[in-house]
Amino acid sequence: NTFMVEKKKTELYQELGLQARDLRFQHVMSITTRNNRIIMRMEFLKAVITPEFLLILDYRNLNLEHWLFNELASQLAGEVQLVTYSLPFEFRAIEAILQYRISKLQGRLNTLQPQILETLEALVDPKLLSVDRSKLHILLQNGKSLSELETDLKVFKETILEILDEEELIEELCLSKWTDPQVFEESTLGIDHAEEMELLLENYYRQAEDLANEARELRVLIDDSESIIFINLDSHRNVMMRLNLQLTMGTFSLSLFGLIGVAFGMNLESSLEEDPRIFWLVTGIMFLGSGLIWRRLLSFLGRHLEPPLPPHVPAVLKKSQPAAGRVELKNNLKAETFGLSRSTLTNQ
């Protein structure tokens, strides 16, 4: 029996026997009891649960309206089987709202996970010499959404854990136990509704914990991928720096032996310019000297940039340790043998 009603706030909290602050909208999550009423706040969703009805306050949202008339009504009526269907009405109402909240959090995680994995796969590519800024922007937005999801999951778990840690709060959530004589009689006969309420809250706490673990794995994956991206960028940067250094050394080698050509290009007369072979001789010396200097500089660069080799362990030390162990084992066996023979003789 689902219907919509519009009332003033003062009339509503007077009819429910609540205070004005109990109906105040707050973007937090909380589950409290007051005057045999359960007040549940799930960010934009706020509900008041009594043993007879469930009141959803201000649902001016299309998605929430769809949930109210198409899903919630059938859940409370038993058309969609709930775990707590055989229990009093407040159990079904609490389970339906918690299930709705968990499904929303699960949907957000299912939307973020493939986007994050696809973006990271595109970024963590060793073939790319540069990082696509558009992908980084998408990853930044998804990272913020993931942080908000982790915060919401943390608040959800803390809210339920506060109730699980207090036995009195769990008892207060069982409204029918204090209003319905039949339910109170069943509780005295051993059907404890407080234990059922505790199991219900623990179930959704575990589901929130599983979602938090998946979100945490995504966060670790993002951090690891960022490290890989930085390593790839550092590797490409080192290659460019090494190439720049090699070109600088080659330029230095050519300019060093180019001084010979500069000396012969001056307006000075000598007997060497009359020989037709001296040009090729000087040019050969210049290129040969420049090549030798460049090779020497490259070998010097390679020795100082390559990582050092691990220290070599002498073979004598490797062989001596097992030998000592075998000698000690033989001595122990001999001692045990002598001890056994001595004790046998004594017994005889």
Side-chain angles (χ1 to χ4, degrees):
N1 186 13
T2 306
F3 61 93
M4 181 177 64
V5 64
E6 185 174 353
K7 287 186 178 182
K8 293 183 179 181
K9 187 176 181 180
T10 54
E11 297 177 359
L12 186 59
Y13 70 73
Q14 287 177 0
E15 290 181 6
L16 295 174
L18 300 174
Q19 301 294 329
R21 63 178 179 272
D22 297 330
L23 302 182
R24 185 185 306 141
F25 279 91
Q26 298 175 352
H27 290 281
V28 295
M29 178 179 173
S30 63
I31 303 175
T32 57
T33 57
R34 190 184 301 275
N35 196 15
N36 206 28
R37 304 283 189 270
I38 300 175
I39 304 170
M40 297 186 66
R41 291 186 179 93
M42 299 287 174
E43 290 187 353
F44 57 88
L45 174 64
K46 187 169 184 179
V48 179
I49 303 173
T50 70
E52 296 83 16
F53 62 87
L54 167 63
L55 178 64
I56 304 294
L57 301 177
D58 194 9
Y59 63 92
R60 289 175 295 185
N61 190 317
L62 294 177
N63 296 330
L64 192 57
E65 184 176 1
H66 173 78
W67 169 69
L68 279 175
F69 291 98
N70 297 338
E71 298 180 13
L72 180 61
S74 59
Q75 287 179 339
L76 297 179
E79 298 176 3
V80 179
Q81 189 69 25
L82 294 175
V83 179
T84 57
Y85 180 70
S86 59
L87 294 173
F89 177 78
E90 64 269 15
F91 285 81
R92 282 176 280 165
I94 292 175
E95 183 183 5
I97 294 176
L98 292 178
Q99 191 179 60
Y100 172 76
R101 180 60 177 166
I102 284 292
S103 64
K104 286 295 182 181
L105 295 174
Q106 180 72 55
R108 290 167 58 185
L109 182 61
N110 293 338
T111 304
L112 284 174
Q113 190 171 12
Q115 295 178 0
I116 292 176
L117 294 178
E118 182 181 358
T119 306
L120 292 179
E121 186 178 359
L123 287 174
V124 185
D125 190 356
K127 298 179 181 179
L128 297 178
L129 297 178
S130 61
V131 179
D132 190 358
R133 293 185 178 180
S134 61
K135 297 292 183 181
L136 286 178
H137 183 66
I138 295 174
L139 183 62
L140 179 61
Q141 292 180 341
N142 292 333
K144 290 181 179 179
S145 301
L146 184 62
S147 300
E148 295 175 357
L149 177 61
E150 289 176 337
T151 303
D152 293 341
L153 288 170
K154 181 181 178 181
V155 173
F156 186 90
K157 293 193 302 178
E158 290 177 351
T159 302
I160 295 182
L161 193 60
E162 288 178 359
I163 301 175
L164 292 175
D165 291 340
E166 297 292 337
E167 187 176 354
E168 296 179 356
L169 296 178
I170 299 177
E171 292 282 350
E172 292 176 357
L173 292 178
C174 303
L175 303 179
S176 300
K177 184 177 180 179
W178 313 108
T179 57
D180 191 349
Q182 182 180 356
V183 176
F184 183 78
E185 185 179 356
E186 290 178 355
S187 64
T188 57
L189 295 177
I191 304 175
D192 194 355
H193 290 82
E195 293 183 359
E196 298 291 341
M197 182 64 71
E198 184 177 359
L199 292 175
L200 174 64
L201 296 176
E202 284 182 354
N203 179 30
Y204 285 95
Y205 179 82
R206 287 195 299 269
Q207 293 185 30
E209 183 67 26
D210 294 338
L211 293 179
N213 291 334
E214 293 181 14
R216 194 178 302 113
E217 290 177 359
L218 277 179
R219 175 64 61 187
V220 172
L221 186 60
I222 290 176
D223 295 339
D224 294 342
S225 301
E226 287 179 355
S227 301
I228 294 174
I229 291 171
F230 290 146
I231 291 173
N232 289 336
L233 292 178
D234 290 339
S235 176
H236 295 310
R237 190 182 300 112
N238 292 336
V239 170
M240 298 303 294
M241 292 175 63
R242 185 162 185 164
L243 179 60
N244 187 20
L245 185 57
Q246 291 176 355
L247 292 176
T248 304
M249 290 188 299
T251 305
F252 171 75
S253 303
L254 287 174
S255 62
L256 181 64
F257 279 86
L259 294 175
I260 301 176
V262 173
F264 280 94
M266 297 176 67
N267 295 326
L268 297 177
E269 295 181 358
S270 62
S271 59
L272 296 177
E273 64 269 7
E274 297 177 358
D275 191 349
R277 295 173 298 178
I278 198 65
F279 170 77
W280 301 108
L281 180 62
V282 172
T283 304
I285 292 174
M286 288 172 55
F287 279 100
L288 181 62
S290 300
L292 291 176
I293 292 294
W294 189 55
R295 291 297 301 173
R296 293 289 296 176
L297 290 175
L298 285 180
S299 62
F300 175 80
L301 178 65
R303 287 196 306 269
H304 285 77
L305 291 183
E306 291 180 356
L309 296 175
H312 179 67
V313 180
V316 179
L317 295 178
K318 293 182 180 179
K319 295 180 180 179
S320 61
Q321 293 177 356
R326 286 196 296 269
V327 171
E328 185 179 357
L329 181 62
K330 290 181 179 179
N331 293 333
N332 291 335
L333 289 175
K334 288 181 180 180
E336 291 176 2
T337 306
F338 291 154
L340 288 174
S341 62
R342 191 178 296 112
S343 61
T344 305
L345 291 174
T346 305
N347 291 332
Q348 289 176 356

